Amino acid sequence: MRRPALLLPAVAAAVLLTACGSEHAGTQSAGAGSGGPTSPSPVGQPAVDGVRITSVTIPSGSRSTSPSAAASASTSPAETGGGVRAERLPDGLPADPGVSAAYEVVNSTADALTYTVIFGFTTSTGGAVSNQKVTVRSVGAGRTVTGTVRLGTLAPGAPPVTRVKVAEVTRVPAAEAPSEPGVCPPSGIRITADDGDSAMGLRVVGLLLENCGTEVRTLDGYPRLSLLDDDLQPVRGVEVMKGSGGIATVAGFDDPPRAVTLKPGERASAGLMWRNTTGFGEAVDVPYVRVHATAGAAPVTVTPHLDLGTTGKLGVSPWRRTAEQTGVPGS
């Protein structure tokens, strides 16, 4: 799994794709491009965890390029995006320049996997303009899936995009992937992780649980966690503590555990807390966390990326009911 040093929050959209074999996964829906017809430029980009960009399309008539820049655009298979030269979008004119990239996902493992990919759209000098998030579901063992990701609409004054790269790839067992929005899994429990918060080396990520089924569910105490490495194997040497464990004082982390009963449409949350400070010893990175809501519950693997530094400690808060409700069971 590859993670960027920094992902810039620009125009971001997610595509949920299902892949049962070697097939075309689909095209990200981001609106029609404003440019004229053009041929995709092949690229020689190496694969990142099985994901590779195969070609990039930058329409010559797009508002991301001036007529003179379009006429003189050059491509090179060795460069993502082909090194196409372009001018800045006119201020006050948001537009979809029609930039897109074709990609392929190759699952060389023995298990079906669900991939989440961040594609970075950048300038010719590598400056980030936009990130697009694509989820490719249930890629079977030994299968290849292809698809297309679009840049979408740019903000006024945005610089031109000339290159596309695979910025980050995460992949989890297809049966343990968080369900897509609007779909309730067979377990009737939907589990996701939020983007977290950080301050002065302290990291906090929330686990969100929704009873999207039709039965009442009861959570007892703390979520059961398994910490996994890039190969989805157990991470050793990390102490998982019930409560804050002295890491920091954070509201709710040291509340006594209690049974939480959720009616259909109700939600609960728990928290993960750690410090990423470093000292003596080897830093520990935990890209995946397998979560069991209760003993015996079907697992869900989330990707909060726990950069634990050399502390070797992870605090876990108990489940607690949240005020927010979905209101519609099975939604």
Side-chain angles (χ1 to χ4, degrees), residues 11 64 89 93-97 99 129-130 151-161:
V11 181
S64 68
L89 279 171
L93 292 176
D96 178 355
V99 178
V129 177
S130 177
L151 168 62
T153 302
L154 287 174
V161 168

Side-chain angles (χ1 to χ4, degrees), residues 80-149:
T80 305
V84 177
R85 296 188 297 276
E87 295 181 353
R88 180 181 297 272
L89 279 171
D91 290 340
L93 292 176
D96 178 355
V99 178
S100 64
Y103 63 86
E104 67 177 15
V105 179
V106 180
N107 181 5
S108 58
T109 74
D111 302 299
L113 299 175
T114 287
Y115 292 74
T116 299
V117 187
I118 302 294
F119 291 96
F121 290 77
T122 74
T123 65
S124 60
T125 58
V129 177
S130 177
N131 291 328
Q132 298 291 348
K133 181 179 180 181
V134 174
T135 298
V136 186
R137 294 186 175 274
S138 301
V139 181
R143 300 293 186 177
T144 297
V145 171
T146 61
T148 302
V149 59

Side-chain angles (χ1 to χ4, degrees), residues 20 37 46 82 89 99-100 126 133 142 166 192 197 213 248 258 262 270 272-273 294 304 309 322-323 329:
C20 299
L89 279 171
V99 178
S100 64
K133 181 179 180 181
V166 178
T192 56
D197 196 4
R258 63 182 185 273
L262 300 178
L272 308 180
M273 176 173 60
T294 60
T322 62

Side-chain angles (χ1 to χ4, degrees), residues 143 200 226 248:
R143 300 293 186 177
M200 299 296 291
S226 298

Side-chain angles (χ1 to χ4, degrees), residues 114-329:
T114 287
Y115 292 74
T116 299
V117 187
I118 302 294
F119 291 96
F121 290 77
T122 74
T123 65
S124 60
T125 58
V129 177
S130 177
N131 291 328
Q132 298 291 348
K133 181 179 180 181
V134 174
T135 298
V136 186
R137 294 186 175 274
S138 301
V139 181
R143 300 293 186 177
T144 297
V145 171
T146 61
T148 302
V149 59
R150 296 183 62 86
L151 168 62
T153 302
L154 287 174
V161 168
T162 62
R163 300 178 182 179
V164 189
K165 66 179 181 180
V166 178
E168 174 184 323
V169 178
T170 57
R171 47 187 182 173
V172 302
E176 299 179 12
S179 60
E180 59 188 287
V183 175
C184 187
S187 66
I189 294 177
R190 182 186 292 125
I191 296 177
T192 56
D194 64 22
D195 293 331
D197 196 4
S198 62
M200 299 296 291
L202 181 66
R203 303 289 189 266
V204 179
V205 166
L207 298 178
L208 311 176
L209 183 149
E210 175 191 341
N211 181 3
C212 59
T214 58
E215 299 179 3
V216 174
R217 305 283 180 170
T218 299
L219 310 176
D220 185 11
Y222 300 86
R224 279 74 169 173
L225 307 179
S226 298
L227 309 184
L228 307 176
D229 62 16
D230 281 330
D231 298 318
L232 298 172
Q233 298 301 309
V235 173
R236 308 298 181 186
V238 177
E239 183 182 2
V240 179
M241 300 171 293
K242 293 181 179 180
S244 66
I247 296 174
T249 301
V250 176
F253 262 78
D254 290 307
D255 289 349
R258 63 182 185 273
V260 177
T261 300
L262 300 178
K263 297 178 181 179
E266 293 184 331
R267 294 179 173 179
S269 65
L272 308 180
M273 176 173 60
W274 72 98
R275 288 193 180 276
N276 67 344
T277 52
T278 57
F280 294 104
E282 184 176 354
V284 178
D285 196 52
V286 180
Y288 301 101
V289 177
R290 180 174 286 141
V291 181
H292 294 259
T294 60
V300 175
T301 298
V302 295
T303 55
H305 189 206
L306 312 181
D307 50 341
L308 301 178
T310 55
T311 62
K313 294 182 178 181
L314 177 67
V316 183
S317 74
W319 290 115
R320 60 190 176 202
R321 186 191 311 275
T322 62
E324 183 182 3
Q325 298 183 15
T326 63
V328 182

